[in-house]
Amino acid sequence: GKPTMKVASRAVLAYALLIVVGVVQSFAVPKDKTFSRATSVARMADENSSQKQIERKTWNPLRLMVLKLGFTEPAWTSPWNYQKAKEGKFTCAYCGNPLFDADSKYDSGSGWPSFWRSSTDGAVALTKEWDGRVECACSQCGAHLGHVFMDGPRPESMPVEKVSTIPESDPKSKRLPRFCINGASIRYAKEL
C-alpha cells in the first residue's frame, strides 16, 4: 500500500523534474549561438567522434530521453510550438542534420511543433510502428523526432511553389503530411 505510493510519487516527481530541467536547458542557448552549436555538433559527427562526445555536447535529460529513448515531451511545453521563423532550417538536436525549412512550420493545434514538408529528400526516415503510427527519425543519426500523420493542411492552402517541390520521400495523400515533432529534438539555425 503506502510504500508503493511513495515510490510512485517520487518517480513521477523525478520525471517531472527531468522534463522541467530539459525544457529549460533545451532553449537556454542564446539565439546567436544556436547556429554555431548545431554546426559544431554536426562537425563532431562528421569527424567520427565518439558517441560520448556527441552526447556530452547535446546533453540535457529531456532531449536525450526524446532523441535516444523515443519519449514524447508533454504537449504545449515546447517554446518552438509558439515561435515562428520565416527563414532558416530546423536541424536535428543530436547531429545537426537539416530536417525542416522554417517556412514549412505551421500551427496544427496539436501541442507540438508541426511541419508540412521535410527540407530535402531523405532528410527524415519513416518507420511504421506496431500501433500503426509512423515514426519519423533523423536519417543521419537515427534520433527519434516524433511522428507523421496524414492530416496536415490542404495543398491548396500552402504556397504553390513550395508544394510543387515537396521531397519525394515525404508521404503522399490528399492532404499534406503533418510532421508532429518534439521540440526537444530540433534546433533552429538561421543559416546553414
Side-chain angles (χ1 to χ4, degrees), residues 162-185:
K162 287 291 187 178
V163 172
S164 64
T165 60
I166 290 176
E168 209 42 51
S169 58
D170 283 6
K172 308 290 186 279
S173 178
K174 289 181 181 179
R175 296 186 77 134
L176 296 169
R178 172 174 54 100
F179 290 92
C180 190
I181 306 299
N182 290 287
S185 66

Side-chain angles (χ1 to χ4, degrees), residues 71-151:
F71 279 59
T72 299
E73 67 190 7
W76 310 106
T77 59
S78 171
W80 290 127
N81 200 44
Y82 307 102
Q83 296 173 351
K84 297 191 182 203
K86 295 288 180 198
E87 298 175 1
K89 295 204 183 277
F90 284 89
T91 64
C92 174
Y94 195 74
C95 71
N97 182 32
L99 302 168
F100 304 100
D101 295 331
D103 63 2
S104 69
K105 185 177 177 299
Y106 75 104
D107 182 6
S108 67
S110 67
W112 288 274
S114 298
F115 302 87
W116 58 272
R117 68 186 300 264
S118 61
S119 63
T120 58
D121 197 33
V124 176
L126 305 175
T127 308
K128 192 167 187 174
E129 294 181 329
W130 63 273
D131 60 358
R133 294 185 306 168
V134 177
E135 177 193 20
C136 52
C138 174
S139 63
Q140 186 169 300
C141 69
H144 173 76
L145 303 172
H147 292 87
V148 63
F149 303 95
M150 294 312 299
D151 62 358

